[in-house]
Every structure is written in C-alpha cells, then in structure tokens.
C-alpha cells in the first residue's frame, strides 16, 4: 500500500470542500479499498462520508422512492416499500455480491463501482480506462465476460452493477450536490459510454457528491423482477441479466420497462423490446418475438459471441416470469 491521508467529515459542506480539493469520497469502501490495494487507484486523500445523513429511504411528495446514497445494499433490498413496490430493485440487490459485502456497500458506491475487467485490475496490462492512451488488452485478449453493446475502439468493459440495471429500466434519477448547486441527472445520462474517454465513467463534476437515487412514481402499478445469468449461483457477476417491469390491464400490456446487464458498457435500456410489448397480449409468441430485439446493434468479440443469444433468452425468460406472475 502507498501513503494517503484520511479525513472524516460530519456534514455535507465539509465533504464538498474536501471533494473540491481532490479528495476521493469513501463510504463502504468495498470497491475503492480493493483498487487501492492493487494500486489501480492511488488517491492522496480519502474523505470518509459514512457519517453523513444520507441513509434513509423515503417516499417523495409525488409518490416516488428516494434511496439515500448511504443506504446499504442490504437495507435497500429489505426495505418494505422497495420490496412491495419495486421487487426488481430488491431482487437485483439480493443477487449481487455476498451478504457481507451487501452489508457494507452503499447504493451510491454501487452505481459508482468500477469494471471487473481483469486487465483494468492488472497494472501491468494496457488499459485505456486506467491509463488513457495505453491501449486495450481486452480487445485481443480473453474477452468472454466483456461487453457487446455500447463498446468503442477504446474500451469494451461491462458495467458490473446489478441494481443499476433495475434503475435504468425504471428511469431513475440521480441526485447530486456540489458546492453551491444541487442538480438531478437522469440515470440514463449519469453513467457514460466509453467513447474515446473510457476513463470518464460518470457525469459528475469535480467534487460533486451523490445524495440519493430516486425512482419516480409510476402511476400504473408495475409487476417486476430481475433475472441474472452467471457462471455460478452466488457471488458472481452477470454474464447476462434482465430487469423487467410490466403493467398489464384488461389482458393487454400497457407499460413495459426493460433493461439488460452484463452485456453493455453501461446498463442497457431496451426500448425496442418495450415497443414490441406495448399494446399486445401476453403470450409465449410475444415474449419470444419481443426478445429478438434485445441484442440489436450488438458487436461481439472473439470470446463472447454467445452473449447475444444468451441475452435474448434471458430477456424472453424474464418477460415470461414477470408477465405470467400473479
Ligand atoms: Fe481497460 Fe476497458 Fe480495455 Fe478492460 S476493456 S482493458 S477496462 S480499456
């Protein structure tokens, strides 16, 4: 390990002051400490924000859900309102990491977590995300777990979060605060595709702090759920996943929200699948036809050609599970 300083803050202004001077925020530390041990990240100053009052799940005036940035994954998954209103969020959290990690890791940290690309974590490998301009070892290397959607010539790493896929499907918003200003960013704009700057991963300004993730009220009740396909049943990242939320009334699908994980450089919203569902009656044929759009625009690599077909089957299966649930 290398030397660094640690500052503990007790209010938001103190945190923002430290953050605006280059301090890195840390709460659960379940990603950042690993990366520091591997010297992938070498911050001079850590700002411990775990004492800030950002640990509540509240219902907003408009009936949405606001999950504080420091709510742990376990707390969010177990919250009665989350469980009953958005099972897709609870399930995505419960299928993530291990129980010990879920007890430490926060919602804010979860959506900020960095890729599991092995070359990113190997400081001897070329990696544009870790060391801009150095190249991408994954392009010609072992890229079975990498992305097929949203990739660029600079980077093909997947975003590892499960709950971010649920947030993408539900069109969540990220609440941010900086020195002198608060703002809200649609989840779809918060995480950035790699393009030519894979080292820039979030639409954060210098020193900005995530305060909450808000799931807007959906006036029509949604049935929802999350399916994760992985090489082993626990403590593993997704090869593919699907977050699905449907409103079915009078035997017709009135609203559909679908996103995929394990396949994109960011959680991958699937509007073409949604469009194929809306106005239709649930049936095996519909699930199969709609899911054919899941891998539109996919650009597979040498070792992950299977992901396009696996994604379609994952989406089809989860559409059926949610669409036919009582
Ligand atoms: Fe780095 Fe991205 Fe290439 Fe992985 S895929 S080695 S994170 S540039």
């Amino acid at each position: 390990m290398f030397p660094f300083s640690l500052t503990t803050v007790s209010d938001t202004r103190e945190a923002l002051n430290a953050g605006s001077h280059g301090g890195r925020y840390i709460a659960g530390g379940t990603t950042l400490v690993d990366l520091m041990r591997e010297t992938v990240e070498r911050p001079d100053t850590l700002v411990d924000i775990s004492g800030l009052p950002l640990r509540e799940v509240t219902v907003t005036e408009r009936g949405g859900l606001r999950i504080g940035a420091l709510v742990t994954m376990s707390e969010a998954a177990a919250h009665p309102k989350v469980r009953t209103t958005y099972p897709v969020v609870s399930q995505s959290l419960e299928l993530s990491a291990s129980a010990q990690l879920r007890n430490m890791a926060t919602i804010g940290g979860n959506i900020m977590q960095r890729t599991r690309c092995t070359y990113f974590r190997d400081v001897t490998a070329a990696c544009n995300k870790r060391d801009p301009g150095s190249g991408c070892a994954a392009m010609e290397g072992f890229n079975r777990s990498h992305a097929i959607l949203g990739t660029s010539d600079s980077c093909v790493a997947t975003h590892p979060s499960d709950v971010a896929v649920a947030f993408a499907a539900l069109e969540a918003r990220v609440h941010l605060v900086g020195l002198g200003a608060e703002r809200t960013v649609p989840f779809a704009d918060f995480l950035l595709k790699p393009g030519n700057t894979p080292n820039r991963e979030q639409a954060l300004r210098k020193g900005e702090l995530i305060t909450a993730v808000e799931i807007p009220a959906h006036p029509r009740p949604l049935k929802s759920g999350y399916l994760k396909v992985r090489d082993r049943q626990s403590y593993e990242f997704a090869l593919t996943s699907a977050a699905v939320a449907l409103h079915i009334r009078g035997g017709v699908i009135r609203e559909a929200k679908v996103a995929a994980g394990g396949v994109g450089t960011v959680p991958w919203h699937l509007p073409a699948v949604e469009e194929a569902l809306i106005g239709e009656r649930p049936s095996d044929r519909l699930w199969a036809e709609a899911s054919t759009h899941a891998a539109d625009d996919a650009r597979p690599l040498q070792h992950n050609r299977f992901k396009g077909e696996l994604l379609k089957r994952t989406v089809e299966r989860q559409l059926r599970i949610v669409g036919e649930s009582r």
Side-chain angles (χ1 to χ4, degrees):
M1 194 65 113
F2 50 90
F4 61 89
S5 66
L6 174 68
T7 306
T8 301
V9 295
S10 52
D11 66 47
T12 305
R13 177 145 294 274
E14 209 183 333
L16 294 175
N17 276 331
S20 68
H21 286 94
R24 283 290 305 277
Y25 299 127
I26 187 167
T30 53
T31 293
L32 185 53
V33 172
D34 275 358
L35 293 173
M36 289 172 64
R37 285 199 182 112
E38 291 163 349
T39 67
V40 174
E41 296 229 33
R42 301 176 67 98
D44 293 328
T45 305
L46 293 182
V47 183
D48 179 2
I49 57 168
S50 54
L52 298 184
L54 302 172
R55 205 162 173 171
E56 277 190 338
V57 179
T58 49
V59 178
T60 67
E61 276 177 20
R62 294 185 179 179
L65 264 188
R66 185 181 162 113
I67 306 174
L70 295 177
V71 174
T72 66
M73 293 169 70
S74 304
E75 289 166 345
H79 193 280
K81 191 75 182 170
V82 178
R83 291 191 87 78
T84 53
T85 317
Y86 299 113
V88 64
V89 173
S90 288
Q91 291 171 17
S92 66
L93 288 164
E94 285 168 347
L95 290 168
S96 303
S98 65
Q100 291 89 342
L101 286 168
R102 294 194 296 271
N103 287 340
M104 286 295 293
T106 62
I107 291 295
N110 185 292
I111 62 173
M112 289 289 291
Q113 70 180 294
R114 306 200 71 189
T115 182
R116 305 306 297 194
C117 172
T118 49
Y119 302 105
F120 170 72
R121 287 167 185 255
D122 172 359
V123 292
T124 65
C127 174
N128 289 321
K129 190 181 279 298
R130 172 174 31 78
D131 182 12
S134 63
C136 172
M139 293 285 182
E140 303 300 327
F142 187 56
N143 44 41
R144 178 175 179 271
S145 64
H146 286 70
I148 58 172
L149 291 158
T151 57
S152 72
D153 291 341
S154 297
C155 181
V156 291
T158 51
H159 192 276
S161 169
D162 290 296
V163 74
V165 181
F167 288 153
L170 295 171
E171 297 167 279
R173 295 191 279 259
V174 184
H175 289 260
L176 303 169
V177 62
L179 276 176
E182 292 182 25
R183 65 187 181 115
T184 304
V185 178
F187 200 80
D189 298 334
F190 179 71
L191 296 174
L192 306 177
K193 294 193 199 94
N196 294 324
T197 54
N199 52 311
R200 188 154 183 264
E201 297 173 329
Q202 301 90 16
L204 280 168
R205 296 174 187 153
K206 188 171 180 185
E208 266 186 332
L209 183 65
I210 302 172
T211 54
V213 176
E214 179 186 343
I215 303 169
H218 290 100
R220 306 197 260 206
L222 298 168
K223 300 196 289 184
S224 71
Y226 187 73
L227 178 65
K228 180 173 180 176
V229 177
R230 45 190 164 168
D231 283 330
R232 58 182 184 190
Q233 271 297 77
S234 73
Y235 198 22
E236 184 55 284
F237 291 88
L239 287 170
T240 58
S241 71
V244 170
L246 301 174
H247 175 77
I248 303 173
R249 185 165 40 85
V252 173
I253 299 170
R254 312 284 173 173
E255 197 166 342
K257 300 185 177 300
V258 187
V263 288
T265 51
V266 294
W268 205 255
H269 186 208
L270 293 170
V273 174
E274 295 171 351
E275 281 163 30
L277 294 166
I278 292 170
E280 302 293 335
R281 291 184 175 274
S283 68
D284 281 349
R285 191 170 154 202
L286 178 66
W287 310 137
E289 279 180 3
S291 64
T292 61
H293 298 290
D296 285 354
D297 306 322
R299 289 206 317 173
L301 302 160
Q302 185 183 357
H303 302 112
N304 67 7
R305 293 188 193 287
F306 68 97
K307 277 196 173 186
E309 181 60 28
L310 186 61
L311 174 61
K312 289 180 200 169
R313 294 184 191 194
T314 306
V315 170
E316 179 183 349
R317 183 167 155 199
Q318 189 59 3
L319 288 173
R320 182 178 293 112
I321 290 170
V322 173
E324 297 178 5
S325 65
R326 296 275 155 206

